[in-house]
Amino acid sequence: MLQEVKVPEVAENVTEGKVVSILVSVGDEIERDQSLLELETEKAVVAIPAPFAGVVHEIKVGEGDTVAVGDVIVVLETDAKAPRAAAAEREAGEAAGRPEPQEAPEPAEEPEPEPEAPEPQEEPVPPEEPEPAAAPRAREPEPEAAAPASPSVRRLARELGADIHGITGSGPTGRITAQDVRDHVKRIVRSAEREVAPAWSEGAELPDFSRWGPTRTEHLSRVREITAEVMTRAWTTIPQVTQRDRADITDLEKFRRSHDRRLAEGAAGLSLTAVLLKVCATALRTFPRFNSSLDVRRKSLIYKEYVDIGVAVDTDRGLLVPVVRGVDGKGIAELSAELAALAAAARNKQIQPQQMEGGNFSISNLGGVGGTGFDPIVYPPQVAILGVSRAATEAVHRDGRFEPRLLLPLALSYDHRVIDGADGARFLRWICAALEQPWLLVMKGSTP
Amino acid sequence: MTDPARDTDMREQARLVIVGGGPGGYAAAFRAADMGLQTVLIDPEVNPGGACLYRGCIPSKALLHVAQVLTEAREGPDFGITFAEPRIDLAQLRSWKDAIVTRLTTGLGSLVQKRKITYIQGRARFLDERSLEIDESGGKITRLPFKDAILATGSRPIALPGQPPASPRILDSSGALNPEEVPGSLLVIGGGYIGLELGTVYAALGTKVTVVEMTGGLLPGVDRDLVSMLKRRLDGLFADILLRTRVERLKEQKNGVMVDLVDRDGQKRTQRFQKVLVAVGRRPSSGELGLEKAGVTVDDRGFVQVDAQRRTSAPTIWAIGDVAGEPMLAHKATHEGRTAAEAIAGRKVAFEPRAIPAVVFTDPEIAWCGLTQDEARQQKREVKVVKLPWSASGRAATLNRSTGLTKLIVDPESERILGVGLAGPGAGELIAEGVLAMEMAAVADDLRLTIHPHPTLSETLMETAEELFPRHPGR
């Protein structure tokens, strides 16, 4: 609805006045009591307030006009939509009461100034008309987005590559000082250093190999990159010791062969790694320190009440370590089948990342490839790893004579911060003994 | 490319070439040279200075000073001093003003030499994003390859559509700055700052000045309470101020210019003025520069589009000042010029002012920075506004100028200063404190707790801030 606003009786005996300035424009949404215009009368210049809220539909007077009490000055559209609760301007007198609106939206720390809004065109200007001569406009980024920092501090932040809007100021009313900027950057650098340490990628520059012959460059795969990073961390942060031993698996092999012969045609046989899994699980139960992780920051050792063991699998993508869960609760045949499935999944790229997380201990069996021995590297945050090489028949002096026995070379690397040398030797000897006399496995907790 | 018949000399590649020697261009050149960049500055004038020194800020302020002296002398009887009617020697006035311009521009010329900047008098056009062709003042055409270029060609007055060619009767701002006579009557088309400043000069010299403005008020875009301080005085100074009135036709005659005016009710009338000043605004000088060949994007208003560092869509070309966007103000150009030069030198900088001051050098002056009350209203932004009329200022009273206003626009919660508005003598000088306060993220309390000298007009800033704080009755 359109409603007219008339010149009110501003003072006694005042019948007319001159419009000094108009304070609103057509289209402005105004609130009740907002000043519409200033009227100069014989007595004073008075502001004429809006008697009700609305949107300015028409302004009937111009600056310099003389108007009488009762003349229509402005037409307001009153049902245009509920007036919004913003844009309330408080003049000096009211402001002296210093109201503290609690619910007001936080104006600071907005990400970026909005793109400059198009100029509100008061009236569409036909092209043949002269353009209104504007005053020099002082337009700058929206102050609400402006972080409370001086120009030199803002420049410092920009030079250091820090977003000024992300910095908390320590000065009065949150003002950001140069020191705040430096502290902010220092914090970021420190936390970044923690995340990437040690920076395996910060190696020395390589010589130009093409001086000696042709080369080919291949970008590292993600698996290779992760392996490089983890192995660097393991090598540079874990003081590790490798304990070697050999297990006589002559009887075990005899059993494995006879078991496999009884299996149906095509069924998977019992793998040595499955037997090793079962043996290691029992050993980990017996020696709980080997089933722990070291929490360096809190200076504590975390013992795990479950036994999950990773098994290194050689794939064409690189080394993958799927984890067999709850090994201590499973039988060797079951483990053998599960292991075969996991290894196949790893090679077929069907393994899920979560199937390679969270192992407590690792086994790396290179016996299929060959070799007489190697020292594995502990895979953090685990504390020990068992390396297995190829078993070979050797002459062993037993009961006064040499006998051909099948010996399996084993190497246990462990984190010396957690495990002492004697414990390392005992753990590996326990495994060897268990392989030599498997019935010991059922006598859990005993030392062979 | 170029006419093969014309000989073009190839110049040595410039590390940085700046096209345009105004306050943006020379500031950029000085900063670049100070940082060790080999710099070339090109401008059609014999010395740097640009529109600001030759045809803008400086000559207009010289004339406004004269107007002020005349006005104050006329107010003498108020305090018991009466001068004889002044005798105005326009030739002397022009030569005094021209001497100022010459002194300042030759000063800039010697600073250019001192910094070993190569100055080429001529006009340049881009051939592509790595080379320019220069039409040198001696008639020679040269080609200049460059690594980086800054475009600082400024702006020029807009003519009315269908306006007769510039003549001694129909002036633009450049012509109006060289008064050959004091016309009996002058119509100023455009109620913006240029029209009001020059109108003030002519009115003080004795011309009957009429201002015509299309919109409903003078100085569109400026807060009305500030403008009303000025309008009260201009109502007395000018013969007439016609608002919401359009100029439909200008017809030059032997003894003047016939002007068809259409007022807000559509009523047409014809009035004769001895002279007409067209001051309807300025537009960026971005044409005829070969920008399309260089891959520089220009918007539909003619402004070259730039990023925060003032780099254009062509990575080797930068743009600053009026040609690069609003507000078209010399001090904005200077700051942009320094920013661009530093960015080219590899510094991580950006043009990110919190406030750009604007000043109208009328009597009284109007000045403001940051958020205006009008903008706050449009943005539906809650603000606290405090105003102090200068009738309370002792200094204003002693200047015989009690019409004035100081206004602070602050955030209602933090009371951080978001905008400052001033009307009154010296407002242009006072606004600098407002700009510094905004750049330093000052709150009203900071202004209140800063000792201001007494008795000065600057105290009004402190006292306005004081208004924000509760007054305890009985204390």
Side-chain angles (χ1 to χ4, degrees), chain A residues 382-438:
Chain A
Q382 302 172 6
V383 295
I385 181 169
L386 182 69
V388 185
S389 294
R390 172 169 289 190
T393 306
E394 290 181 28
V396 175
H397 200 250
R398 265 162 65 117
D399 306 328
R401 62 194 182 95
F402 284 100
E403 274 181 41
R405 303 294 297 181
L406 187 63
L407 299 183
L408 181 69
L410 295 174
L412 176 80
S413 292
Y414 56 85
D415 186 337
H416 206 356
R417 293 172 302 180
V418 179
I419 292 154
D420 295 332
D423 289 333
R426 275 186 208 109
F427 182 84
L428 188 56
R429 193 83 290 284
W430 193 98
I431 287 172
C432 290
L435 291 169
E436 285 156 9
Q437 296 170 312

Short mmCIF file of all heavy atoms in Angstrom, two decimals, chain A residues 382-438:
data_model
loop_
_atom_site.label_atom_id
_atom_site.label_comp_id
_atom_site.label_asym_id
_atom_site.label_seq_id
_atom_site.Cartn_x
_atom_site.Cartn_y
_atom_site.Cartn_z
N GLN A 382 55.44 -50.23 14.78
CA GLN A 382 55.73 -51.54 15.37
C GLN A 382 57.12 -51.49 15.99
O GLN A 382 57.88 -50.55 15.75
CB GLN A 382 55.69 -52.62 14.27
CG GLN A 382 54.33 -52.66 13.55
CD GLN A 382 54.33 -53.58 12.35
OE1 GLN A 382 55.31 -54.28 12.08
NE2 GLN A 382 53.22 -53.56 11.62
N VAL A 383 57.41 -52.54 16.78
CA VAL A 383 58.72 -52.54 17.44
C VAL A 383 59.62 -53.69 16.98
O VAL A 383 60.76 -53.77 17.38
CB VAL A 383 58.60 -52.54 18.98
CG1 VAL A 383 57.95 -51.25 19.46
CG2 VAL A 383 57.83 -53.76 19.47
N ALA A 384 59.07 -54.63 16.15
CA ALA A 384 59.92 -55.74 15.71
C ALA A 384 59.41 -56.30 14.39
O ALA A 384 58.24 -56.14 14.04
CB ALA A 384 59.95 -56.84 16.77
N ILE A 385 60.33 -56.92 13.67
CA ILE A 385 59.98 -57.53 12.38
C ILE A 385 60.82 -58.79 12.23
O ILE A 385 61.99 -58.83 12.65
CB ILE A 385 60.19 -56.54 11.22
CG1 ILE A 385 59.80 -57.17 9.87
CG2 ILE A 385 61.64 -56.02 11.19
CD1 ILE A 385 59.74 -56.15 8.73
N LEU A 386 60.21 -59.82 11.62
CA LEU A 386 60.94 -61.07 11.41
C LEU A 386 61.24 -61.22 9.92
O LEU A 386 60.34 -61.18 9.10
CB LEU A 386 60.09 -62.27 11.89
CG LEU A 386 60.77 -63.64 11.78
CD1 LEU A 386 61.92 -63.76 12.78
CD2 LEU A 386 59.76 -64.75 12.02
N GLY A 387 62.53 -61.39 9.60
CA GLY A 387 62.93 -61.63 8.22
C GLY A 387 63.23 -63.12 8.03
O GLY A 387 63.91 -63.74 8.85
N VAL A 388 62.70 -63.70 6.96
CA VAL A 388 62.85 -65.15 6.71
C VAL A 388 63.56 -65.34 5.37
O VAL A 388 63.15 -64.76 4.37
CB VAL A 388 61.46 -65.83 6.67
CG1 VAL A 388 61.62 -67.35 6.54
CG2 VAL A 388 60.65 -65.45 7.91
N SER A 389 64.63 -66.15 5.36
CA SER A 389 65.32 -66.43 4.10
C SER A 389 65.08 -67.88 3.69
O SER A 389 64.28 -68.57 4.29
CB SER A 389 66.82 -66.13 4.24
OG SER A 389 66.99 -64.74 4.44
N ARG A 390 65.78 -68.32 2.64
CA ARG A 390 65.49 -69.67 2.12
C ARG A 390 66.12 -70.76 2.99
O ARG A 390 67.29 -70.66 3.37
CB ARG A 390 66.03 -69.80 0.70
CG ARG A 390 65.94 -71.21 0.15
CD ARG A 390 66.23 -71.26 -1.32
NE ARG A 390 65.15 -70.65 -2.09
CZ ARG A 390 65.06 -70.73 -3.42
NH1 ARG A 390 65.99 -71.36 -4.11
NH2 ARG A 390 64.06 -70.17 -4.04
N ALA A 391 65.33 -71.74 3.28
CA ALA A 391 65.83 -72.88 4.06
C ALA A 391 66.78 -73.73 3.21
O ALA A 391 66.60 -73.83 2.00
CB ALA A 391 64.65 -73.75 4.52
N ALA A 392 67.82 -74.24 3.84
CA ALA A 392 68.78 -75.05 3.07
C ALA A 392 69.18 -76.26 3.91
O ALA A 392 69.20 -76.19 5.13
CB ALA A 392 70.01 -74.20 2.75
N THR A 393 69.42 -77.36 3.24
CA THR A 393 69.85 -78.58 3.95
C THR A 393 71.33 -78.47 4.23
O THR A 393 72.13 -78.18 3.33
CB THR A 393 69.55 -79.82 3.08
OG1 THR A 393 68.16 -79.76 2.73
CG2 THR A 393 69.87 -81.09 3.83
N GLU A 394 71.69 -78.64 5.50
CA GLU A 394 73.10 -78.55 5.87
C GLU A 394 73.46 -79.74 6.75
O GLU A 394 72.59 -80.37 7.35
CB GLU A 394 73.36 -77.25 6.64
CG GLU A 394 73.26 -76.02 5.75
CD GLU A 394 73.56 -74.75 6.51
OE1 GLU A 394 74.32 -74.81 7.50
OE2 GLU A 394 72.99 -73.72 6.11
N ALA A 395 74.74 -79.96 6.83
CA ALA A 395 75.21 -81.04 7.71
C ALA A 395 75.24 -80.51 9.14
O ALA A 395 75.90 -79.54 9.42
CB ALA A 395 76.61 -81.47 7.29
N VAL A 396 74.45 -81.14 10.01
CA VAL A 396 74.37 -80.69 11.40
C VAL A 396 74.92 -81.80 12.29
O VAL A 396 74.59 -82.97 12.12
CB VAL A 396 72.93 -80.35 11.79
CG1 VAL A 396 72.83 -80.01 13.28
CG2 VAL A 396 72.41 -79.20 10.92
N HIS A 397 75.78 -81.43 13.20
CA HIS A 397 76.36 -82.41 14.11
C HIS A 397 75.39 -82.69 15.23
O HIS A 397 75.07 -81.80 16.01
CB HIS A 397 77.69 -81.85 14.66
CG HIS A 397 78.58 -82.91 15.18
ND1 HIS A 397 78.83 -83.04 16.53
CD2 HIS A 397 79.27 -83.90 14.56
CE1 HIS A 397 79.62 -84.07 16.72
NE2 HIS A 397 79.91 -84.62 15.52
N ARG A 398 74.82 -83.91 15.23
CA ARG A 398 73.81 -84.28 16.24
C ARG A 398 74.17 -85.65 16.79
O ARG A 398 74.49 -86.55 16.02
CB ARG A 398 72.44 -84.38 15.60
CG ARG A 398 71.62 -83.11 15.73
CD ARG A 398 70.47 -83.10 14.73
NE ARG A 398 69.49 -84.13 14.97
CZ ARG A 398 68.20 -83.92 15.29
NH1 ARG A 398 67.77 -82.68 15.40
NH2 ARG A 398 67.37 -84.92 15.47
N ASP A 399 74.11 -85.77 18.06
CA ASP A 399 74.34 -87.06 18.70
C ASP A 399 75.61 -87.75 18.16
O ASP A 399 75.63 -88.92 17.81
CB ASP A 399 73.13 -88.00 18.50
CG ASP A 399 71.84 -87.34 18.98
OD1 ASP A 399 71.92 -86.52 19.95
OD2 ASP A 399 70.78 -87.55 18.36
N GLY A 400 76.69 -87.00 18.07
CA GLY A 400 77.99 -87.57 17.70
C GLY A 400 78.19 -87.79 16.22
O GLY A 400 79.22 -88.29 15.81
N ARG A 401 77.25 -87.40 15.38
CA ARG A 401 77.51 -87.55 13.94
C ARG A 401 76.82 -86.44 13.15
O ARG A 401 75.95 -85.75 13.66
CB ARG A 401 77.07 -88.93 13.45
CG ARG A 401 75.58 -89.19 13.61
CD ARG A 401 75.27 -90.69 13.42
NE ARG A 401 73.85 -90.92 13.53
CZ ARG A 401 73.05 -90.98 12.47
NH1 ARG A 401 73.51 -90.82 11.26
NH2 ARG A 401 71.76 -91.20 12.65
N PHE A 402 77.25 -86.31 11.89
CA PHE A 402 76.64 -85.30 11.01
C PHE A 402 75.39 -85.85 10.39
O PHE A 402 75.38 -86.98 9.90
CB PHE A 402 77.64 -84.86 9.93
CG PHE A 402 78.70 -83.93 10.47
CD1 PHE A 402 79.98 -84.38 10.79
CD2 PHE A 402 78.36 -82.58 10.67
CE1 PHE A 402 80.92 -83.52 11.30
CE2 PHE A 402 79.32 -81.73 11.17
CZ PHE A 402 80.60 -82.18 11.49
N GLU A 403 74.36 -85.04 10.43
CA GLU A 403 73.09 -85.44 9.81
C GLU A 403 72.65 -84.34 8.85
O GLU A 403 72.84 -83.16 9.12
CB GLU A 403 71.99 -85.55 10.88
CG GLU A 403 71.94 -86.88 11.57
CD GLU A 403 70.80 -86.90 12.59
OE1 GLU A 403 69.69 -86.37 12.25
OE2 GLU A 403 71.01 -87.38 13.71
N PRO A 404 72.01 -84.67 7.72
CA PRO A 404 71.44 -83.62 6.86
C PRO A 404 70.16 -83.06 7.50
O PRO A 404 69.25 -83.81 7.78
CB PRO A 404 71.13 -84.36 5.55
CG PRO A 404 70.99 -85.80 5.92
CD PRO A 404 71.72 -86.04 7.23
N ARG A 405 70.19 -81.78 7.79
CA ARG A 405 69.00 -81.15 8.40
C ARG A 405 68.62 -79.91 7.57
O ARG A 405 69.48 -79.24 7.00
CB ARG A 405 69.29 -80.68 9.83
CG ARG A 405 69.76 -81.74 10.79
CD ARG A 405 68.73 -82.80 11.09
NE ARG A 405 67.54 -82.32 11.76
CZ ARG A 405 66.52 -83.10 12.13
NH1 ARG A 405 66.58 -84.41 11.89
NH2 ARG A 405 65.45 -82.60 12.72
N LEU A 406 67.31 -79.65 7.53
CA LEU A 406 66.82 -78.47 6.81
C LEU A 406 66.79 -77.28 7.78
O LEU A 406 66.04 -77.28 8.74
CB LEU A 406 65.42 -78.75 6.25
CG LEU A 406 64.84 -77.67 5.33
CD1 LEU A 406 65.70 -77.49 4.07
CD2 LEU A 406 63.40 -78.03 4.94
N LEU A 407 67.63 -76.27 7.51
CA LEU A 407 67.73 -75.12 8.44
C LEU A 407 67.15 -73.86 7.79
O LEU A 407 67.41 -73.55 6.62
CB LEU A 407 69.18 -74.87 8.82
CG LEU A 407 69.89 -76.02 9.54
CD1 LEU A 407 71.32 -75.60 9.93
CD2 LEU A 407 69.12 -76.46 10.79
N LEU A 408 66.32 -73.15 8.60
CA LEU A 408 65.67 -71.93 8.11
C LEU A 408 66.34 -70.70 8.73
O LEU A 408 66.27 -70.51 9.94
CB LEU A 408 64.18 -71.97 8.49
CG LEU A 408 63.34 -70.79 8.04
CD1 LEU A 408 63.17 -70.77 6.51
CD2 LEU A 408 61.97 -70.84 8.71
N PRO A 409 67.01 -69.84 7.92
CA PRO A 409 67.67 -68.66 8.50
C PRO A 409 66.63 -67.58 8.85
O PRO A 409 65.82 -67.21 8.01
CB PRO A 409 68.58 -68.16 7.38
CG PRO A 409 68.42 -69.11 6.23
CD PRO A 409 67.18 -69.91 6.46
N LEU A 410 66.66 -67.14 10.10
CA LEU A 410 65.72 -66.11 10.57
C LEU A 410 66.49 -64.91 11.09
O LEU A 410 67.58 -65.06 11.65
CB LEU A 410 64.85 -66.67 11.70
CG LEU A 410 63.91 -67.81 11.32
CD1 LEU A 410 63.21 -68.35 12.58
CD2 LEU A 410 62.87 -67.36 10.29
N ALA A 411 65.93 -63.71 10.89
CA ALA A 411 66.56 -62.48 11.42
C ALA A 411 65.47 -61.64 12.05
O ALA A 411 64.45 -61.36 11.42
CB ALA A 411 67.24 -61.71 10.29
N LEU A 412 65.65 -61.29 13.31
CA LEU A 412 64.67 -60.47 14.02
C LEU A 412 65.28 -59.09 14.25
O LEU A 412 66.27 -58.95 14.96
CB LEU A 412 64.33 -61.12 15.38
CG LEU A 412 63.40 -60.29 16.26
CD1 LEU A 412 61.95 -60.45 15.82
CD2 LEU A 412 63.55 -60.67 17.73
N SER A 413 64.66 -58.05 13.63
CA SER A 413 65.10 -56.68 13.93
C SER A 413 64.13 -56.09 14.94
O SER A 413 62.92 -56.29 14.81
CB SER A 413 65.11 -55.82 12.67
OG SER A 413 66.11 -56.26 11.78
N TYR A 414 64.67 -55.40 15.93
CA TYR A 414 63.77 -54.84 16.95
C TYR A 414 64.24 -53.45 17.36
O TYR A 414 65.39 -53.07 17.17
CB TYR A 414 63.64 -55.78 18.16
CG TYR A 414 64.98 -56.14 18.80
CD1 TYR A 414 65.57 -55.30 19.76
CD2 TYR A 414 65.65 -57.32 18.45
CE1 TYR A 414 66.79 -55.62 20.34
CE2 TYR A 414 66.87 -57.64 19.01
CZ TYR A 414 67.44 -56.79 19.96
OH TYR A 414 68.64 -57.10 20.53
N ASP A 415 63.27 -52.73 17.92
CA ASP A 415 63.50 -51.37 18.39
C ASP A 415 64.19 -51.45 19.75
O ASP A 415 63.59 -51.85 20.74
CB ASP A 415 62.15 -50.65 18.50
CG ASP A 415 62.29 -49.18 18.84
OD1 ASP A 415 63.33 -48.79 19.41
OD2 ASP A 415 61.34 -48.42 18.54
N HIS A 416 65.44 -51.06 19.77
CA HIS A 416 66.24 -51.23 20.99
C HIS A 416 65.82 -50.29 22.12
O HIS A 416 66.22 -50.45 23.26
CB HIS A 416 67.73 -51.03 20.66
CG HIS A 416 68.67 -51.75 21.57
ND1 HIS A 416 68.26 -52.47 22.68
CD2 HIS A 416 70.02 -51.89 21.54
CE1 HIS A 416 69.30 -52.98 23.30
NE2 HIS A 416 70.40 -52.65 22.61
N ARG A 417 64.96 -49.29 21.77
CA ARG A 417 64.45 -48.43 22.83
C ARG A 417 63.46 -49.20 23.70
O ARG A 417 63.23 -48.88 24.85
CB ARG A 417 63.74 -47.21 22.23
CG ARG A 417 64.66 -46.27 21.50
CD ARG A 417 63.88 -45.20 20.77
NE ARG A 417 62.94 -45.78 19.80
CZ ARG A 417 62.13 -45.07 19.03
NH1 ARG A 417 62.15 -43.74 19.11
NH2 ARG A 417 61.31 -45.65 18.19
N VAL A 418 62.83 -50.23 23.08
CA VAL A 418 61.76 -50.96 23.77
C VAL A 418 62.25 -52.33 24.24
O VAL A 418 61.86 -52.81 25.29
CB VAL A 418 60.54 -51.11 22.83
CG1 VAL A 418 59.42 -51.89 23.49
CG2 VAL A 418 60.05 -49.75 22.36
N ILE A 419 63.10 -52.93 23.42
CA ILE A 419 63.48 -54.32 23.67
C ILE A 419 64.99 -54.42 23.91
O ILE A 419 65.80 -53.85 23.17
CB ILE A 419 63.06 -55.18 22.46
CG1 ILE A 419 61.53 -55.23 22.40
CG2 ILE A 419 63.64 -56.59 22.54
CD1 ILE A 419 60.99 -55.46 21.04
N ASP A 420 65.35 -55.16 24.99
CA ASP A 420 66.76 -55.36 25.29
C ASP A 420 67.29 -56.54 24.48
O ASP A 420 66.53 -57.39 24.02
CB ASP A 420 66.93 -55.66 26.79
CG ASP A 420 66.53 -54.46 27.63
OD1 ASP A 420 66.65 -53.32 27.12
OD2 ASP A 420 66.08 -54.66 28.78
N GLY A 421 68.61 -56.59 24.35
CA GLY A 421 69.25 -57.62 23.53
C GLY A 421 68.89 -59.04 23.96
O GLY A 421 68.57 -59.89 23.11
N ALA A 422 68.89 -59.29 25.26
CA ALA A 422 68.63 -60.66 25.74
C ALA A 422 67.20 -61.07 25.39
O ALA A 422 66.95 -62.21 24.99
CB ALA A 422 68.84 -60.72 27.26
N ASP A 423 66.25 -60.10 25.51
CA ASP A 423 64.86 -60.40 25.17
C ASP A 423 64.72 -60.71 23.69
O ASP A 423 63.96 -61.59 23.29
CB ASP A 423 63.95 -59.23 25.54
CG ASP A 423 63.78 -59.10 27.04
OD1 ASP A 423 63.90 -60.13 27.73
OD2 ASP A 423 63.54 -57.96 27.51
N GLY A 424 65.50 -59.96 22.87
CA GLY A 424 65.47 -60.21 21.43
C GLY A 424 65.93 -61.62 21.13
O GLY A 424 65.31 -62.34 20.35
N ALA A 425 67.05 -62.02 21.79
CA ALA A 425 67.59 -63.36 21.57
C ALA A 425 66.60 -64.42 22.05
O ALA A 425 66.37 -65.43 21.36
CB ALA A 425 68.92 -63.49 22.32
N ARG A 426 65.99 -64.18 23.22
CA ARG A 426 65.03 -65.17 23.76
C ARG A 426 63.83 -65.31 22.84
O ARG A 426 63.35 -66.41 22.59
CB ARG A 426 64.53 -64.71 25.14
CG ARG A 426 65.45 -65.12 26.24
CD ARG A 426 64.87 -64.79 27.62
NE ARG A 426 65.97 -64.57 28.52
CZ ARG A 426 66.32 -63.41 29.03
NH1 ARG A 426 65.62 -62.31 28.74
NH2 ARG A 426 67.35 -63.31 29.81
N PHE A 427 63.31 -64.18 22.32
CA PHE A 427 62.13 -64.21 21.46
C PHE A 427 62.39 -65.03 20.21
O PHE A 427 61.61 -65.91 19.84
CB PHE A 427 61.76 -62.76 21.10
CG PHE A 427 60.51 -62.61 20.24
CD1 PHE A 427 59.24 -62.59 20.83
CD2 PHE A 427 60.60 -62.45 18.85
CE1 PHE A 427 58.10 -62.43 20.04
CE2 PHE A 427 59.45 -62.30 18.07
CZ PHE A 427 58.20 -62.29 18.67
N LEU A 428 63.55 -64.79 19.60
CA LEU A 428 63.84 -65.49 18.35
C LEU A 428 64.12 -66.98 18.62
O LEU A 428 63.71 -67.85 17.87
CB LEU A 428 65.03 -64.84 17.63
CG LEU A 428 65.31 -65.35 16.23
CD1 LEU A 428 64.07 -65.22 15.34
CD2 LEU A 428 66.48 -64.61 15.59
N ARG A 429 64.81 -67.24 19.75
CA ARG A 429 65.06 -68.65 20.11
C ARG A 429 63.75 -69.38 20.36
O ARG A 429 63.56 -70.53 19.99
CB ARG A 429 65.97 -68.69 21.36
CG ARG A 429 66.57 -70.03 21.70
CD ARG A 429 67.86 -70.35 20.90
NE ARG A 429 67.76 -70.63 19.50
CZ ARG A 429 67.31 -71.80 18.98
NH1 ARG A 429 66.89 -72.79 19.74
NH2 ARG A 429 67.30 -71.99 17.68
N TRP A 430 62.80 -68.66 20.97
CA TRP A 430 61.47 -69.26 21.25
C TRP A 430 60.80 -69.66 19.94
O TRP A 430 60.25 -70.73 19.81
CB TRP A 430 60.61 -68.22 21.99
CG TRP A 430 59.35 -68.79 22.61
CD1 TRP A 430 59.19 -69.16 23.91
CD2 TRP A 430 58.11 -69.05 21.95
NE1 TRP A 430 57.93 -69.64 24.13
CE2 TRP A 430 57.24 -69.59 22.92
CE3 TRP A 430 57.65 -68.92 20.65
CZ2 TRP A 430 55.93 -69.98 22.65
CZ3 TRP A 430 56.34 -69.30 20.36
CH2 TRP A 430 55.48 -69.82 21.36
N ILE A 431 60.92 -68.79 18.94
CA ILE A 431 60.31 -69.07 17.63
C ILE A 431 60.98 -70.29 16.99
O ILE A 431 60.31 -71.20 16.48
CB ILE A 431 60.41 -67.83 16.71
CG1 ILE A 431 59.43 -66.76 17.19
CG2 ILE A 431 60.13 -68.18 15.25
CD1 ILE A 431 59.55 -65.43 16.49
N CYS A 432 62.33 -70.31 17.06
CA CYS A 432 63.05 -71.44 16.48
C CYS A 432 62.63 -72.75 17.15
O CYS A 432 62.33 -73.75 16.47
CB CYS A 432 64.56 -71.26 16.62
SG CYS A 432 65.18 -69.94 15.58
N ALA A 433 62.57 -72.71 18.48
CA ALA A 433 62.20 -73.92 19.22
C ALA A 433 60.79 -74.37 18.85
O ALA A 433 60.52 -75.56 18.70
CB ALA A 433 62.30 -73.64 20.73
N ALA A 434 59.88 -73.40 18.69
CA ALA A 434 58.50 -73.73 18.36
C ALA A 434 58.42 -74.37 16.97
O ALA A 434 57.60 -75.26 16.74
CB ALA A 434 57.63 -72.48 18.41
N LEU A 435 59.26 -73.91 16.06
CA LEU A 435 59.25 -74.49 14.72
C LEU A 435 59.83 -75.90 14.75
O LEU A 435 59.42 -76.78 13.99
CB LEU A 435 60.05 -73.61 13.75
CG LEU A 435 59.42 -72.25 13.42
CD1 LEU A 435 60.43 -71.36 12.68
CD2 LEU A 435 58.16 -72.42 12.57
N GLU A 436 60.80 -76.08 15.64
CA GLU A 436 61.45 -77.40 15.72
C GLU A 436 60.54 -78.39 16.43
O GLU A 436 60.48 -79.56 16.07
CB GLU A 436 62.79 -77.27 16.46
CG GLU A 436 63.86 -76.61 15.57
CD GLU A 436 64.99 -75.94 16.36
OE1 GLU A 436 65.06 -76.12 17.61
OE2 GLU A 436 65.79 -75.22 15.73
N GLN A 437 59.82 -77.96 17.47
CA GLN A 437 58.94 -78.85 18.22
C GLN A 437 57.57 -78.20 18.34
O GLN A 437 57.22 -77.61 19.36
CB GLN A 437 59.54 -79.08 19.62
CG GLN A 437 60.87 -79.81 19.51
CD GLN A 437 61.60 -79.85 20.84
OE1 GLN A 437 61.71 -78.83 21.51
NE2 GLN A 437 62.07 -81.01 21.22
N PRO A 438 56.77 -78.29 17.27
CA PRO A 438 55.51 -77.54 17.18
C PRO A 438 54.56 -77.79 18.35
O PRO A 438 53.76 -76.92 18.67
CB PRO A 438 54.90 -78.01 15.86
CG PRO A 438 56.05 -78.54 15.08
CD PRO A 438 57.01 -79.11 16.08
#
